[in-house]
Amino acid sequence: MKQRHIQYGASETQQAFYQSLVRRHGSPLLVVSKAKLLEQFQLLKKHLTGVSLYYAIKAFPHPEIMRILAEAGCHFDVASEGEIDLLKPLQVSGRRTIHTHPVKKDGDIKAALRGGSTTFVVDNIDELKKLIAYRSRIGVLLRVSFRSNTAAVDLSRKFGCAPEQVKELVLQAKALGVHIRGLSFHVGSQVADPDAHVAAISECQRLIEEVNRCLDNPMNVLDIGGGFPVDYEMTGFDIDAFFAPISEALAGLPGDIDVIAEPGRFLVAPAVTGICTVSGKARRGDYQWYYLDDGIYGSYSGQLFDHVLYPLQILNGGQQRFPSILAGPTCDSIDIIAEDVLLPELQEGDLLIGHMMGAYTHATATRFNSLSGAKVVIID
Amino acid sequence: MKEFQETLYDAISQDFRIDKMYFEQKTEHQHLMIFHNAMLGRVMTLDGVVQTTEVDEFIYHEMMAHVPIFAHGQAKRVLIIGGGDGGMLREVLRHKAVEHVTMVEIDSAVIDMAKEYLPNHSAGAFEDERAHIVIADGMDYVRETDDRFDVIISDSTDPIGPGEVLFSDDFYAQCKRILNEGGVMATQNGVAFFQIDEVKTTSERMGQHFSDQTFYSAAVPTYYGGVMTFAWGSDNTALRTVPLDELQRRFESAAFKTRYYSPQVHIASFALPQYIVDALG
């Protein structure tokens, strides 16, 4: 059973900081730190040297976040027409994008090409055939399924061909005149250890070498996907220990293999803080209920869809704590942020802080109850 | 952005330095730029693809306008679909014998922008009293108009994009409907070397409606890939067998100078490289 990390109390400076944000912008909020976002980007670049990073827009599809990353030199993973449209007003060449959705309608392919995205992903023959009409102008990555036993979000069930199918698919593509540039994989989101990445890199290296012997146009791209974890449990995460085996595996690749990655969570989760306010309270049975103005239909949707328990912070450092329930603002009983937590007595107007709230929070928020949801605020 | 990199193809691209930006429009629908380049003059790009440049637009416009009009020999009424930059209109109007030119452009903003930022393309053509500008969808126009034309020129964008419908079977059928007897249509059909599939597709579709369907070509430096093809559709097979001396007579009588077109180039342009002939089967 996953434990949620709760921090009790905050310094005077911290309290003043959060309260001034709410005074200025209202509540609920998702506060994006530009500095932290850039720090995460530089950190990932440092640990994955020579790897081109394509931000998975799906993690937090906000134009300002995308602009900050674009200016820092990050590229973009687009998976829908909507994401392509979000990119258009920014000054990003299609050359700095890949279209990563393994399943596409014809309209999706055309929209991608119009946006200048010319690299696509497939994992089966039917999808490959859809690209025949565009074969003269595109490059394709073949997605292979590798599963991490520790991934919080498993993607290998839904996407990716088996490694044994790679050679046949690449040869079928060759016969159809579609150029397979390389292989891609995604071991799952929020993995606990790098083992699956390392195994996948190694297997893909072997596959590329083997299949290249039958090709006129050799494959030379390896997309290692995302899945790089963030420290939701606040237990201290040895980032060097996580990336070292991956770096080593990548260093073993031949020099002409271009490595790319699709980070989302790693870049954006630590850069965002959620702030919501106690709108009401009630004593019900053995529990003190607090009703917040954000919940699982909003920013905390990640608790349902992404299987994450965000670390919370109560500004009130009171020593006496009572069994409490933190509930969201909708009329649904399922809308509970935290069930059965020990909290000091809170007042209406008190703030609840959620940390590491950048990935799959705003991205999956609903409009249920016609609640407008957390306002996104960008700070330095 | 100090450089424009074309994003038409995955594995290759051409790069133009941006020496001065004249106009840039970035919306969630399109990214349009008009900029200056020391070697190319003014360049217009749309969604990462070169549309036209001042230095070589004359090649494209002369070949699309003069080949069908001189082949026809008696063209009085010409229809241009697209061509918002005004270059095609300019070349067509040089024929004094042409009495009426209708130009159908879907977006009036393109014309306004071209008048201001690509003035040398139209060079006053929009003000000619023989020019009739219609702001409408080209497909709707050819389907609904009662007007008839001797020559139809489709100066459209890429088939992937807003110009898609101008490469459809229905478009070719409707153009045939509104062509006068003995008339001809010519359409922009891409760079065959890298887009051979598009040559085959047009051949199949247009070939259903015209007894004489083929392609002619010209090398346009800024349409990356060598030789650009133009589709030719007519029921009048005599148009492609006009002898050189007759073409020369028509050209001299028209009394204007060109920089790419000549009667010899006209005839030679229908000689297609073997790889295109093979693709057409």
Side-chain angles (χ1 to χ4, degrees), chain A residues 204-354:
Chain A
C204 283
Q205 177 175 355
R206 193 192 66 73
L207 283 167
I208 289 175
E209 230 165 274
E210 182 195 329
V211 177
N212 273 355
R213 289 188 216 120
C214 324
L215 297 177
D216 304 319
N217 292 322
M219 296 194 280
N220 73 336
V221 174
L222 179 59
D223 179 352
I224 65 172
F228 315 114
V230 300
D231 189 12
Y232 290 113
E233 275 148 61
M234 309 287 259
T235 48
F237 173 62
D238 188 346
I239 196 173
D240 294 316
F242 180 87
F243 282 106
I246 296 178
S247 287
E248 199 181 317
L250 293 177
L253 292 170
D256 52 13
I257 302 276
D258 241 341
V259 183
I260 70 182
E262 303 166 14
R265 182 190 309 275
F266 188 90
L267 296 182
V268 75
V272 181
T273 305
I275 308 178
C276 60
T277 307
V278 177
S279 323
K281 54 196 269 194
R283 176 109 205 129
R284 322 176 78 77
D286 298 330
Y287 289 92
Q288 187 62 45
W289 282 68
Y290 298 103
Y291 300 86
L292 286 306
D293 60 9
D294 203 349
I296 69 157
Y297 279 93
S299 309
Y300 287 85
S301 49
Q303 295 193 173
L304 264 185
F305 292 107
D306 196 31
H307 319 293
V308 167
L309 291 175
Y310 303 102
L312 301 175
Q313 184 176 10
I314 313 286
L315 302 185
N316 181 337
Q319 292 297 332
Q320 252 208 316
R321 297 169 192 171
F322 310 93
S324 312
I325 295 178
L326 295 170
T330 72
C331 58
D332 192 351
S333 298
I334 203 181
D335 187 5
I336 305 270
I337 295 173
E339 193 86 65
D340 199 1
V341 286
L342 286 171
L343 298 178
E345 175 143 10
L346 305 179
Q347 304 307 325
E348 200 175 309
D350 278 0
L351 302 183
L352 173 71
I353 311 300

Side-chain angles (χ1 to χ4, degrees), chain A residues 85 88-91 93-95 110 113-114 116 118-119 132 134-139 181, chain B residues 1 5 7-10 12-13 24 26-29 47 158 160-162 164 194 197-198:
Chain A
D85 287 346
K88 278 197 174 156
L90 308 178
Q91 249 182 2
S93 161
R95 268 289 178 275
K110 288 193 154 88
L113 288 171
R114 283 206 64 200
T118 54
T119 297
I132 292 173
Y134 309 99
R135 62 190 177 169
S136 65
R137 37 178 116 190
I138 61 168
R181 297 182 61 185
Chain B
M1 191 195 299
Q5 184 181 31
T7 52
L8 184 54
Y9 302 110
D10 191 62
I12 56 174
S13 69
E24 183 168 19
K26 292 173 289 175
T27 66
E28 64 270 14
H29 301 300
D47 289 343
D158 209 37
I160 295 185
E164 187 181 353
F194 289 127
D197 287 345
E198 280 167 29

Side-chain angles (χ1 to χ4, degrees), chain A residues 53-74:
Chain A
L53 303 179
Y54 290 71
Y55 171 57
I57 295 171
K58 61 182 74 67
F60 199 135
H62 193 278
E64 196 50 33
I65 288 176
M66 291 160 64
R67 193 187 58 75
I68 292 166
L69 288 171
E71 281 171 12
C74 195

Side-chain angles (χ1 to χ4, degrees), chain A residues 134-206:
Chain A
Y134 309 99
R135 62 190 177 169
S136 65
R137 37 178 116 190
I138 61 168
V140 176
L141 299 176
L142 184 60
R143 178 144 165 193
V144 191
S145 182
F146 294 104
R147 195 172 176 282
S148 166
N149 294 326
T150 64
V153 181
D154 173 24
L155 304 167
S156 64
R157 186 168 167 242
K158 189 169 175 182
F159 301 115
C161 69
E164 309 81 72
Q165 295 173 294
V166 168
K167 183 167 179 178
E168 191 192 337
L169 277 167
V170 176
L171 291 176
Q172 280 175 317
K174 180 183 176 184
L176 294 172
V178 177
H179 173 52
I180 306 288
R181 297 182 61 185
L183 302 181
S184 86
F185 62 80
H186 199 307
V187 299
S189 190
Q190 183 69 12
V191 302
D193 61 53
D195 299 351
H197 283 93
V198 170
I201 291 168
S202 165
E203 177 63 6
C204 283
Q205 177 175 355
R206 193 192 66 73

Side-chain angles (χ1 to χ4, degrees), chain B residues 132-192:
Chain B
H132 304 265
I133 316 298
V134 175
I135 303 299
D137 183 321
M139 185 71 242
D140 291 341
Y141 180 85
V142 299
R143 212 183 260 136
E144 290 157 11
T145 187
D146 292 326
D147 276 347
R148 295 293 178 267
F149 301 94
D150 302 310
V151 171
I152 299 177
I153 298 168
S154 175
D155 178 9
S156 71
T157 51
D158 209 37
I160 295 185
E164 187 181 353
V165 70
L166 303 178
F167 292 82
S168 67
D169 180 77
D170 195 17
F171 179 73
Y172 302 135
Q174 298 305 322
C175 283
K176 170 157 172 151
R177 180 185 76 84
I178 63 174
L179 268 178
N180 282 327
E181 192 172 322
V184 55
M185 79 175 292
T187 70
Q188 180 272 107
N189 210 74
V191 173

